[in-house]
Amino acid sequence: MRKTALLLLLSTYGSLAFAQQSQKVRGKVLDADNKPVAGATVNIKGSASGTKTDADGSFTLDVAKGKTLKITYVGMKEQEVLVNDESIYSVVLQSGTELDEVVVIGYGTVKKSDLTGAVASVTGKDLQSNLAKSASGALQGRIAGVSVSNAGGSPGSGMSINIRGLSSLGNNAPLYVIDGVFGDINIVDPNDIASLEVLKDASAAAIYGSRAANGVVIITTKGGKRSSPATLGINAYTGIQSLPKKMDLMDGPQWKKFQKDNGYLPTQAESFNANTDWQDEVFDTAPVNKVNLDIAGGGERSTYNVSAGYLDQRGILKTTGYKAFNIRTKNTFSFFNDHVRVGNTFLMKSGDRKFSDLTITDILRQNALLPVYDSSVRGGYATYAPWMKNLENPVGYLNLYNKHVYQTDFMLNGYAEVDLFLKGLKYKLNMGVNRTTGRNYNKNDAYTYGADLRKSSLSESAFFNNQWLVENTLHYDNTFDKHTISVLAGYSAQENTNRGFGASRNSLPLGTDAIDAASPAEQTTSGSLNESALISQFGRFMYSYDSRYLLTASLRRDGSSKFADGARYGVFPSVAVGWNVMNEKFFESAKGTMNELKLRASYGRLGNQEIPNYTTQSITSYGINYIQGGVWWQGASTGINWVSPRNLTWEETATSNIGVDMAFMQNKLNISADYYVRETKDILLGINQPPSAGLKGAPTLNAGTIRNNGFELLATYKNSIGNVNYNIGVNASKVKNEVKAVTVGNVQEFGGYNPQGEGTITWAKVGYPIGGFWVIKTDGLFQSDAEAQAYKSANGTTIQPNAKGGDIKFVDYNNDGRIDNNDRQYVGSPFPTLAYGIRGGLDYKGVDFAFFFDGMYGNKIYNYTRARMEQTNEVNNHSSSLLDSWTPSNTDTDIPRYSREDQNDNKRRVSDRWMESGAFFRLKTIELGYTLPSQWLSKATLKNGRIFLAADNLFTVTKYKGYTPDLGQNNGDNGTPSGVLTAGTDHGRFPLARTIMFGIQANF
């Protein structure tokens, strides 16, 4: 008891002594134009104590005499002030350089000048494109080497994001870290982002180990400011979306005449006189509205930021849409003279995605002679006639089927950080929880489909995904003369649990909306449970000598429950070096021409464990049920599915990177360039086994090697002419992807996209890129029957015996005298040889203008949508291009003769007839804004206000004949297959909308 009292007395005396040595210092931070700098960081050098300036640039801080204040602000040069007997200070910050900026890296921050890895940083202001409905969409085209493409297109469907190409035949999505917690980028509203960093090379991402093989995206959300009064901000817009282009189809009379002229018009069709434009019937202009509110501020020892947002986006495909509501709070607190710091972030997003799985190609193929409505049939919508192709009535399908995904996501992060007994040493406990709950809802009314009656039905399923994370880290940061070191050591553990169940019944009575109202004789149930865990130890050492010579080294060891004992752990090291040449004495003479020059080099290894749970375990399969003696018996057994070998282990990616950062013209022109080689070994892939084995599924094996090498360039230029400030930025990336080896079995290839089972189009083959297109080449049209019969092999065999004049000539690539899938050739890749973005803007006396172009070159697209519109063997509508079909009097065309029998198989799917260039140049966004004059704002008690007019997806220059050439890998919407090998395939993608909108931004 006496010892405890003595300790309390000593600690109290120490605190009083510390307080007696300190004095209250006030100051104001201004820029070169004598304007206040809000949000500047004011720290006591060599200490963790500090604060931020308020809206007037003012700050207050307890500082001991003789201490040095360090004042920093992004984009301005760091300033130091020695504290003497004065109590009031005025600090002027000069414009800085990009290398003075502080960027977020894994478990810490670093000045850009001391950065050795390939890290791209984007500020929240840059990301808050007023058109951005999601953070992934706002990221599109901004960073070299980061591809953000259309996965589905329907509201709420998300985007496909790849960093530096594909390294796996499985999951290629990057790891997202949101305020220190692993999460989903779609939970974050772009309006809430303060900064976003992309860790592209292994040395930057290796601290995250196994989950970082595809890159890391670190998102830091907005916080409040110390000693700052509450500010209320609003950002709102409203707009209209529309279909940018329509497919050119035959109308009813054209189709009738065309069929009649070719001798194929069914007799029953004579009495059909409707002329329905199905695109007009199902696509519509649709509103979109978004509003965000946030309140931020703080006291002397705390900060807060509370925000809320609402998005209501109707889809241009009728009955589809997305509504989402999100709230976020972020708080920080400090105690004991800022030696103890705690904070938390809470995110919640609740969304209702109303979608349709209507196949887009069915809209285009449905006969224009079919009317929309028919009151004489069940459901009230006309159905196909016996002589027509059995396609759904698109309007009826959209209205009779009601499909929703209701989903609520929660993310909670809390941390506590304390300065320890040694100067620069601190301990941090970080904890995070992610929880997703949701419900799939699928209901349809009864209706007539051809001669059948489709029963009403209702199916619902619930899903619950939970993840917790605990991290313990020790940080040591200090400077000794010209030596600066930063050491990190940590331990983390996380667990993921996914559970789901569902039920469905048919024959739901009209007017009811509960499963138990339907027939119990027609029901199904389902359920699932998956659990996985990961534990890790990691460390990093960063060293800088005189801000000239830089070294970063890291090591992480991960253990995953997805692998068996003996193969669970992977070790992932990295090292990077940098040289700030501009800080050398010999460089002084060159600074008149080149202001900054830094060289970087790095190497590291990362792992990937993204395989299904229990892959190496023999699990029980349920549902093997039977009836015995009139009693229902539930059966279950092991040995039903393939089990992967117990030595299955980590997929491992090694990356080498060299880079250079430069600045010219008094830092107005900044250039960064990187070249990298990225090789993934032991790729995790499900390998098909002989059916004779009698087991289901495909075991996952370490099956091959994939290599990417590429070049990235970013150039920005900022300047002013009088009162006009302008900027322009260009980023470009070039990547080559290649399957280097397949190490399992004798077949050195894996098939991919196979539309409707009509032929495999994309493949992963050794020596070629993942998802390369392999099809039979064509060589024009036969101009006569005689020419077709004269097409013979070396041994005199007629290669296409069923061909006639006007049919397609296929190339007999293997010279075996016949056309089959063995004649396939490589014709291109879905990935561009060059991807680029051009961004610029200017402002003049309150008027601002900004634009963003993006594009691709060198990629191919397989247009299955056009293939279905131009095939002739079925009685459905066609593209109007068939009006130019070959005839003996119309030979100057590339459209083959019209034949319902199609004995030459002109519609052949495995053909370059359906291959098109995917190159495009697009005006992605354009915006015109006006900042209201201060004299107007004062009357409305506004601090600032701005109105703007903007457009998204305004025009696209492309030769592609589909709705949009912006095609990442399919996400499974609208009847499309999904997976890595579907990139660049148009199976009927949801068209991207053109959006025009008006908005307002204001702060109170």
Side-chain angles (χ1 to χ4, degrees), residues 393-704:
N393 179 319
V395 176
Y397 194 88
L398 288 171
N399 287 287
L400 292 167
Y401 282 82
N402 188 10
K403 298 174 181 287
H404 291 260
V405 177
Y406 302 99
Q407 181 170 319
T408 300
D409 297 280
F410 296 92
M411 192 201 85
L412 177 62
N413 159 253
Y415 72 87
E417 187 176 52
V418 58
D419 295 330
L420 299 180
F421 51 88
L422 183 65
K423 178 184 176 182
L425 181 64
K426 55 188 176 182
Y427 163 77
K428 184 175 183 179
L429 170 65
N430 184 59
M431 303 179 68
V433 175
N434 277 304
R435 179 175 174 83
T436 296
T437 62
R439 176 170 62 97
N440 296 303
Y441 175 89
N442 187 346
K443 179 185 178 183
N444 71 273
D445 296 332
Y447 67 98
T448 300
Y449 177 72
D452 299 327
L453 177 66
R454 290 282 174 92
K455 295 180 180 181
S456 61
S457 67
L458 175 61
S459 66
E460 294 187 82
S461 60
F463 52 90
F464 310 90
N465 305 326
N466 298 285
Q467 172 187 290
W468 59 258
L469 168 73
V470 177
E471 294 177 324
N472 295 271
T473 54
L474 280 173
H475 299 255
Y476 179 68
D477 303 279
N478 214 336
T479 298
F480 308 94
D481 192 21
K482 294 182 179 181
H483 307 274
T484 300
I485 64 171
S486 176
V487 183
L488 164 73
Y491 173 87
S492 75
Q494 66 183 82
E495 184 178 80
N496 300 276
T497 303
N498 304 312
R499 180 183 288 275
F501 60 85
S504 68
R505 286 185 180 182
N506 294 335
S507 301
L508 187 72
L510 188 65
T512 60
D513 193 30
I515 285 180
D516 63 353
S519 171
E522 303 172 274
Q523 67 177 359
T524 62
T525 58
S526 62
S528 63
L529 172 63
N530 281 275
E531 296 177 323
S532 63
L534 190 72
I535 58 172
S536 310
Q537 303 89 37
F538 51 91
R540 179 176 61 210
F541 174 76
M542 300 174 67
Y543 171 75
S544 169
Y545 175 74
D546 199 22
S547 197
R548 286 187 287 164
Y549 311 121
L550 315 170
L551 170 69
T552 301
S554 67
L555 184 70
R556 181 159 178 141
R557 179 176 182 261
D558 287 314
S560 172
S561 66
K562 294 188 176 185
F563 301 111
D565 287 339
R568 283 185 170 164
Y569 286 91
V571 178
F572 309 105
S574 77
V575 63
V577 294
W579 181 22
N580 277 322
V581 184
M582 73 278 191
N583 291 336
E584 297 286 356
K585 290 183 179 180
F586 65 78
F587 194 80
E588 289 296 327
S589 60
K591 284 193 174 180
T593 303
M594 179 181 288
N595 311 114
E596 295 173 351
L597 174 63
K598 181 169 73 168
L599 304 178
R600 297 177 278 106
S602 67
Y603 173 82
R605 295 202 305 267
L606 301 168
N608 182 10
Q609 49 120 23
E610 296 303 318
I611 58 174
N613 296 329
Y614 319 118
T615 299
T616 61
Q617 302 175 44
S618 181
I619 60 175
T620 302
S621 297
Y622 296 91
I624 310 171
N625 306 322
Y626 59 96
I627 297 176
Q628 180 175 338
V631 178
W632 181 272
W633 291 80
Q634 182 181 13
S637 177
T638 57
I640 302 296
N641 298 299
W642 278 100
V643 178
S644 296
R646 294 186 63 81
N647 64 351
L648 182 72
T649 190
W650 297 86
E651 185 177 282
E652 191 171 278
T653 299
T655 300
S656 301
N657 190 99
I658 57 173
V660 59
D661 302 311
M662 300 174 288
F664 304 87
M665 305 169 64
Q666 285 74 51
N667 295 301
K668 294 184 179 74
L669 175 62
N670 289 269
I671 298 174
S672 291
D674 284 89
Y675 175 78
Y676 64 89
V677 177
R678 185 179 179 210
E679 186 167 281
T680 303
K681 297 181 179 180
D682 293 329
I683 59 171
L684 296 165
L685 185 65
I687 304 296
N688 292 325
Q689 301 295 313
S692 57
L695 299 177
K696 295 195 301 182
T700 300
L701 304 174
N702 295 115

Side-chain angles (χ1 to χ4, degrees), residues 184-207:
D184 181 358
I185 189 173
N186 294 309
I187 195 178
V188 185
D189 191 295
N191 194 73
D192 289 334
I193 296 177
S195 69
L196 184 150
E197 276 76 22
V198 179
L199 314 185
K200 295 190 285 187
D201 72 337
S203 73
I207 197 67

Side-chain angles (χ1 to χ4, degrees), residues 162-389:
N162 293 125
I163 299 176
R164 291 186 164 183
L166 301 181
S167 63
S168 174
L169 289 173
N171 184 7
N172 284 274
L175 172 68
Y176 301 106
V177 183
I178 305 165
D179 283 351
V181 178
F182 304 136
D184 181 358
I185 189 173
N186 294 309
I187 195 178
V188 185
D189 191 295
N191 194 73
D192 289 334
I193 296 177
S195 69
L196 184 150
E197 276 76 22
V198 179
L199 314 185
K200 295 190 285 187
D201 72 337
S203 73
I207 197 67
Y208 289 110
S210 66
R211 303 187 60 179
N214 300 310
V216 180
V217 178
I218 300 178
I219 297 172
T220 304
T221 64
K222 293 178 181 177
K225 298 175 183 178
R226 285 189 179 183
S227 302
S228 175
T231 59
L232 171 64
I234 181 171
N235 186 352
Y237 65 73
T238 182
I240 291 293
Q241 306 163 103
S242 60
L243 184 69
K245 67 181 287 189
K246 289 177 60 178
M247 298 294 100
D248 196 359
L249 307 173
M250 294 183 189
D251 62 22
Q254 281 179 322
W255 187 87
K256 234 179 183 182
K257 182 179 184 303
F258 180 74
Q259 295 293 333
K260 194 169 188 176
D261 291 345
N262 284 280
Y264 289 113
L265 182 67
T267 305
Q268 306 94 315
E270 294 283 3
S271 61
F272 281 73
N273 296 307
N275 187 18
T276 304
D277 187 326
W278 290 105
Q279 291 183 96
D280 284 350
E281 293 293 337
V282 301
F283 292 115
D284 199 1
T285 57
V288 56
N289 298 285
K290 189 171 188 286
V291 60
N292 288 92
L293 298 171
D294 66 83
I295 302 174
E300 291 189 6
R301 293 289 181 264
S302 64
T303 67
Y304 62 89
N305 190 299
V306 181
S307 65
Y310 179 72
L311 171 67
D312 185 355
Q313 180 187 8
R314 272 179 42 192
I316 57 174
L317 183 65
K318 291 180 179 178
T319 76
T320 65
Y322 182 62
K323 296 179 180 180
F325 172 74
N326 64 277
I327 60 173
R328 180 185 63 91
T329 66
K330 187 171 185 176
N331 304 279
T332 66
F333 306 91
S334 68
F335 307 95
F336 306 109
N337 242 358
D338 210 29
H339 290 293
V340 177
R341 299 164 294 279
V342 298
N344 67 77
T345 300
F346 172 76
L347 280 168
M348 187 276 286
K349 181 178 181 180
S350 182
D352 171 11
R353 179 174 172 239
K354 191 175 189 303
F355 71 100
S356 174
D357 57 2
L358 173 67
T359 303
I360 299 296
T361 55
D362 286 356
I363 300 169
L364 307 176
R365 294 193 300 152
Q366 183 56 273
N367 204 304
L369 295 177
L370 182 71
V372 177
Y373 304 101
D374 184 353
S375 59
S376 66
V377 301
R378 184 73 177 269
Y381 294 95
T383 187
Y384 68 91
W387 55 270
M388 293 179 179
K389 172 66 178 174

Side-chain angles (χ1 to χ4, degrees), residues 800-818:
Q800 293 176 234
N802 296 321
K804 296 182 179 180
D807 281 336
I808 293 175
K809 180 181 179 180
F810 296 101
V811 176
D812 182 18
Y813 182 62
N814 65 352
N815 298 312
D816 65 353
R818 62 178 181 270

